[in-house]
Each structure stands twice: as structure tokens, then as C-alpha cells.
Amino acid sequence: MTNDDYNQCLWEPNRKRIQTSSLYQFMVQISEQQSRLFHDYPQLRRWSVKHSDEFWHQLWQFCNVIGEQGNTISYCPPNRPIPNKDRRWFPEAQLNFAENLLAHSAASEKQDALVFYNELSFSDTNHLQAQQRLSWQQLYEQVAIVAHYLQQQGVQKGDVIAASMPNIPQTVIAMLAATSLGAIWTSASPDFGTESVIERFSQTQPKIIFTTDGYIYNGKHISSITALAQALPALPSVEKLIVFPYLNTQPISQLLLNSTPLPAAISLSTWAEMEDIVETPHLRFTPTAFNHPLYILYSSGTTGKPKCIIHSVGGTLLNHLKEHQLHCNIKPKDRIFYFTTCGWMMWNWLVSGLLSGATLILYDGSPLHPQPNQLWQLADKEHLRLFGTSAKYIETIEKQKLSPRQEYKLTQLDVIFSTGSVLAPEQFRYVYQNIKQDVQLSSISGGTDICGCFAIGNPISAVWRGECQVKALAMDVQVYSAEGEPITDQCGELVCCNDSLNQPIVFSQDPNGEKYFNAYWNTLTRLLIVSIRYFSSLAD
């Protein structure tokens, strides 16, 4: 690889695009608040790192977060051997995650909130058909129904609700219903086998599990309920299994009779039973602390049992607002898409698009079946503004010599995000030559450990071939050698040298914090006396 592979500017935003971006408007707000002019991204980022307390306080105000902020932005107990390890953000704050995600329901009630496609949507090449559309009002009502049902089952704040579901609207609804009650959400992909389910859910001890009768991939209808049913005897915390008939090939009870009978302590319900009420109940949101658990995500488990990483309500919410509104410029009515499963943190990232009033385009199935160009057909029909995928997908369609720009207009497409692995310089060139010239292409890098990004896009800066656009705001990202020395132009360890509110709060089943300490602080001890270390596992 030569320097010529990188020293090429592929895209720059014009003045109008810069000045209409939320990031630019935020810079104007900060300039007024600080009585100094913030004229470019590097200057703003340096300030956000040095004054992270003020940055997060201002972001809360700028994004109109619903909740009580309190008077204290952050607190760290004194005399700690590792500075900032035990920092608590907004310790007096009270808010609800689902309430913020549904905040646009009243103003946008007739507009699309969720639009769902799967492989069956492409069975007629001349007529692309969504499988389901939910308006904001319908989404709100569905969440209210499921939340009411969960309350009837005794679900309370702090209970764990799990899902083994495809990326369908019912998964989003169940998550919003659970978190509206202050419950903790965790999910796995339905293609996980019995042992993978046990490894994850036995550690997180869910009270209720949502699932489907199967999923669709590469033209096949695949049953997944057998693997889950076989896992249930090893999950004594589970009291109820709720099944959505996604494939709907035969009655749920018959499917279970043909597989493994449920343990006697576990009752079975279907999605239709939850909806069998006379009228839509009122949706009440349970206030939680800023650092209350929200999501449990899982590491890949390549070196043992997966780590069960718990993220907070407020940390996830504010960080996703930062990434969506400032870095991605997502605004109300924008239509956004990310190809993901519910076992990847990008699903959690995608659903947070509701915070900004965006319409989520969901997809279940293979990205290349039945047609290799189908996701671009989807992007064109749904007027996507943000298209998210993996570097592997872009490499694959390049090898297949697809040229979406020759078939589709993609007039609304402003941003393409790529993650999962490094986007090679060749794929940068391919995107601009074969997909769209006037587009912000961002190779982003982060991971499960922060449910977000260390390196990300930026609507007011240029795109250079083979490079991530920028380091994320309020993240002091550096590279260090194995000896704990800062390095440049060399491979090394990714280090975030300041505390961040989206770092994990704890691990499941780690009462003494030993696993948590060993994961992030036990290596490079000399360096970590003055910094916080994250291992960015892009494969997670």
C-alpha cells in the first residue's frame, strides 16, 4: 500500500450542506455559549475532549432530551487508583429511554416510523413491496399494548427481557415496551444455536423471551424455535415465552410439540394474545436513573463465554444522539437503513434513529438474494438518506461488478456508512465510481464495548480515500505501542484516553468487577493509570 492510496480527496461538502447541518448549528450554539468562535471540526473536537462535561451538558440541551438533568454533570469518587473508572454521569438525572425514542409520535403520527422488507419483497422484480409499514401513531399504540401485557406478567424496572428475533418491527416494538417499564433489553440473532443461546441468556437471566417461529435467509424459511426450546431447560429464570408467527407455516403449539416441550414452569403466549384487548391502554413511562441498565450486549465469545456488557440508559441515549445528529446529520423524516441482525450492536444503533424522528427501514434476510442489487433498489424506492452496510458487502458487490448508479437515481442518498472491518482504498474508489459521486462515505470504527464509534463520519469535512473521516467528538482516541507509548503512522492499540459516558457500567455476573477490570484495565497497567482502554472488536 502506498501513500497514493490515501492522499486523494474524494468528496467535500458544499457551503449549503455545511451550514444546514446540525453539527454546524451546534458549533454556532457553542460559540455563543463560550463567547469564542468555533470555526472547524478539529477545534470543536479538541474543546469537546478537554471540556467533556460541558459538551454533554450542551448536547442534552441541543437535542431536547426529555427528562430531568439535575445539577451535577459527572462525579468521580476521590482517591481511586485508576482515574475515571468509577465516574458516574448525571447522577441526579431521571429519564426514560423509550419515551425519548417515541417523542416524535405526536408531531409525526401519520408518517412512517418503521418500514419492513425481507427477501419476499423482491419476488416480483418489477414491483418492490414492503411487508409492513407502521406509522408513528401505530408504533406508539403497539408499544402501549405490549407494555401493558408485560406489566400484567409482572415485569418491573430492572427485569431482563430477551429476544431471539429477526430484524422485524415486532422486535423494535418489544424493546420499546420493555424499556418503557425500565426493564433491561438483550437480544440475540435467531440463527444462534442452542449452546450460543445458553451461553448468553444463562448469564443475563431473562424473565421473558420474545421469539419467532423462524427466519428467512437465502431463499430458505428456517425454523429457529427448536434450538431455543432446547435451551430453555438451562434457563431457569425464564417464566414466559412469547412467539410471533413470522413464518406462520403451522400453529406455534404444533411446532413446539414437534420439537422440545417447554419446561412446566414456562408458559407460552403468542403475539396475537397480547393484542387481544378491547382498547389501546395508556402508555406510561417509568423514570430511571441516567446510569440505570438499558442494554446487555455480548462479545463474540472467541476466547471463552461471551462477556455480557451492560450499557446505561443515559449513556447510550446521549452518545447515539451525538453520533446520529452531529456526525450523521440525521433529522426528522429522514429515512435511514443499516443492514444488521439483532445480534449486532448496529441494530441498537439503528433503532436509536427514532430519537431524531427518522424513519427506520428494516430488512431481514440475505443482502444478495434473490437479486444482488436489491438493497440499492430498496434505497431508491424508499428514498434513503443514510445507507449502512459492511466493508465485506461493498467488496462483494464490487467483485460482482454491480453499478447501482446506472440503475437507480439514489437522489436522496447523502451518507454511506461502512463498518465491520476496514474499508480498503479500492472500495472507496468503487463507491464513488459506481454508487454515487456526491455522497459522504464514512468508514466507521467502534464496537460492542461502547455501543458506538471511536472513529466516525462528519458532514462538514472531506472524505479521503482509505481513511476514516474523523475521531468522534468527546473521545480522546489515540494509538499506543505495547510499551504504553503514543505512536503515529504505526499499528498499535486503540486507546481512549479520557472517560466517556457510553463506556459499560458493569458486566453481568461479575459481582466483584474482576471481569470488567481485566477486560479494560489489567493490561498496559502503566499506561492505564492515566487513561481508559477499550479494545475495539469490530467483528462483534
Side-chain angles (χ1 to χ4, degrees):
M1 202 73 68
T2 67
N3 287 336
D4 291 340
D5 291 316
Y6 298 95
N7 295 331
Q8 182 183 3
C9 180
L10 299 175
W11 177 84
E12 288 186 276
N14 58 36
R15 181 178 295 274
K16 180 181 178 181
R17 187 161 181 161
I18 291 172
Q19 293 184 346
T20 58
S21 71
S22 295
L23 178 59
Y24 182 86
Q25 298 303 319
F26 183 73
M27 290 172 62
V28 170
Q29 173 179 298
I30 298 301
S31 296
E32 294 173 351
Q33 292 284 343
Q34 300 296 312
S35 299
R36 55 181 290 200
L37 178 62
F38 288 84
H39 55 82
D40 60 16
Y41 181 84
Q43 185 187 23
L44 177 67
R45 183 182 169 275
R46 286 192 297 270
W47 173 84
S48 72
V49 169
K50 187 175 181 180
H51 303 280
S52 57
D53 281 28
E54 182 64 17
F55 169 80
W56 293 116
H57 167 72
Q58 292 292 340
L59 185 73
W60 181 306
Q61 304 298 327
F62 182 80
C63 296
N64 298 312
V65 174
I66 299 173
E68 298 295 329
Q69 187 180 116
N71 297 317
T72 305
I73 299 174
S74 70
Y75 170 75
C76 186
N79 303 319
R80 296 288 175 172
I82 300 177
N84 302 324
K85 174 179 177 292
D86 300 300
R87 182 180 294 275
R88 285 295 176 264
W89 292 88
F90 298 98
E92 301 164 0
Q94 291 284 307
L95 70 168
N96 182 276
F97 188 73
E99 183 177 15
N100 278 275
L101 265 68
L102 292 170
H104 291 266
S105 297
S108 308
E109 59 179 19
K110 301 299 182 183
Q111 296 167 0
D112 289 338
L114 305 178
V115 181
F116 171 59
Y117 288 82
N118 61 18
E119 292 180 11
L120 301 178
S121 302
F122 301 89
S123 57
D124 182 351
T125 57
N126 296 317
H127 184 62
L128 179 59
Q129 182 66 45
Q131 299 298 300
Q132 188 175 5
R133 291 182 184 271
L134 284 178
S135 69
W136 280 93
Q137 180 179 356
Q138 290 170 325
L139 175 61
Y140 189 95
E141 291 173 351
Q142 286 285 305
V143 172
I145 289 169
V146 177
H148 178 72
Y149 184 82
L150 292 178
Q151 281 185 307
Q152 290 181 327
Q153 307 310 307
V155 173
Q156 300 177 359
K157 179 162 58 173
D159 286 339
V160 176
I161 307 298
S164 178
M165 301 270 281
N167 183 20
I168 60 179
Q170 287 70 28
T171 313
V172 181
I173 292 166
M175 181 278 289
L176 290 169
T179 56
S180 74
L181 303 175
I184 306 164
W185 178 261
T186 188
S187 63
S189 180
D191 60 340
F192 286 2
T194 300
E195 288 305 314
S196 294
V197 171
I198 293 173
E199 283 182 339
R200 287 158 176 80
F201 291 168
S202 65
Q203 295 186 77
T204 52
Q205 300 180 342
K207 186 172 187 175
I208 292 177
I209 296 180
F210 286 88
T211 191
T212 63
D213 51 354
Y215 62 98
I216 299 171
Y217 196 85
N218 211 27
K220 298 178 180 179
H221 289 212
I222 303 168
S223 174
S224 58
I225 201 165
T226 299
L228 180 60
Q230 291 173 346
L232 289 174
L235 305 175
S237 64
V238 179
E239 299 177 4
K240 181 174 283 291
L241 182 68
I242 301 174
V243 185
F244 176 74
Y246 179 41
L247 301 183
N248 207 22
T249 53
Q250 56 182 306
I252 301 301
S253 57
Q254 186 63 42
L255 281 172
L256 288 170
L257 285 174
N258 294 339
S259 57
T260 302
L262 293 180
I266 299 177
S267 60
L268 174 68
S269 292
T270 65
W271 195 271
E273 291 174 38
M274 290 193 298
E275 296 179 319
D276 189 20
I277 59 176
V278 177
E279 61 182 38
T280 303
H282 181 65
L283 182 56
R284 304 180 191 278
F285 299 102
T286 301
T288 67
F290 188 91
N291 294 289
H292 181 74
L294 169 69
Y295 286 142
I296 305 177
L297 305 182
Y298 303 97
S299 67
S300 59
T302 53
T303 57
K305 279 189 176 183
K307 299 193 300 289
C308 303
I309 303 168
I310 302 181
H311 289 284
S312 69
V313 169
T316 304
L317 188 148
L318 272 187
N319 184 64
H320 285 177
L321 280 170
K322 176 196 77 176
E323 294 183 356
H324 285 194
Q325 295 194 15
L326 302 188
H327 287 285
C328 303
N329 199 34
I330 295 173
K331 296 180 179 180
K333 302 181 183 179
D334 282 348
R335 305 174 82 80
I336 66 174
F337 166 86
Y338 218 106
F339 179 76
T340 182
T341 70
C342 298
W344 191 22
M345 51 79 52
M346 291 311 301
W347 180 85
N348 306 80
W349 191 92
L350 171 63
V351 297
S352 286
L354 296 172
L355 286 166
S356 302
T359 297
L360 309 186
I361 311 300
L362 309 177
Y363 178 78
D364 171 53
S366 167
L368 302 169
H369 181 89
Q371 307 166 43
N373 63 350
Q374 61 195 35
L375 294 187
W376 300 105
Q377 184 182 3
L378 170 62
D380 194 52
K381 178 178 174 61
E382 288 296 335
H383 306 292
L384 293 187
R385 194 189 149 269
L386 183 149
F387 182 99
T389 187
S390 66
K392 182 64 176 178
Y393 171 78
I394 295 177
E395 179 185 6
T396 299
I397 63 173
E398 179 192 21
K399 289 180 178 178
Q400 293 186 1
K401 301 186 184 321
L402 293 186
S403 185
R405 65 179 297 182
Q406 294 183 3
E407 298 181 68
Y408 309 111
K409 296 179 180 179
L410 302 175
T411 53
Q412 300 300 314
L413 186 62
D414 282 341
V415 182
I416 297 175
F417 267 19
S418 169
T419 191
S421 59
V422 176
L423 188 64
E426 294 79 12
Q427 277 78 65
F428 274 81
R429 179 177 57 212
Y430 166 77
V431 167
Y432 283 99
Q433 289 180 350
N434 294 279
I435 298 178
K436 191 172 183 179
Q437 288 182 331
D438 185 17
V439 71
Q440 175 195 336
L441 173 61
S442 299
S443 178
I444 64 175
S445 174
T448 302
D449 297 84
I450 60 169
C451 197
C453 302
F454 290 118
I456 192 170
N458 175 349
I460 69 172
S461 299
V463 173
W464 292 80
R465 183 181 174 193
E467 297 182 7
C468 294
Q469 264 192 294
V470 293
K471 300 174 184 177
L473 291 166
M475 306 287 278
D476 187 11
V477 178
Q478 306 292 340
V479 178
Y480 278 77
S481 68
E483 293 72 35
E485 300 295 333
I487 55 177
T488 57
D489 298 323
Q490 301 176 54
C491 293
E493 297 287 351
L494 180 69
V495 179
C496 187
C497 295
N498 68 331
D499 55 302
S500 177
L501 52 69
N502 58 311
Q503 67 190 58
I505 48 176
V506 289
F507 288 172
S508 292
Q509 294 194 345
D510 185 28
N512 299 320
E514 182 178 356
K515 293 179 183 178
Y516 186 80
F517 178 85
N518 289 337
Y520 302 123
W521 282 278
N522 199 33
T523 306
L524 296 180
T525 303
R526 180 166 64 88
L527 167 65
L528 293 175
I529 290 175
V530 294
S531 67
I532 295 177
R533 179 181 183 185
Y534 292 97
F535 290 100
S536 177
S537 181
L538 298 180
D540 283 355

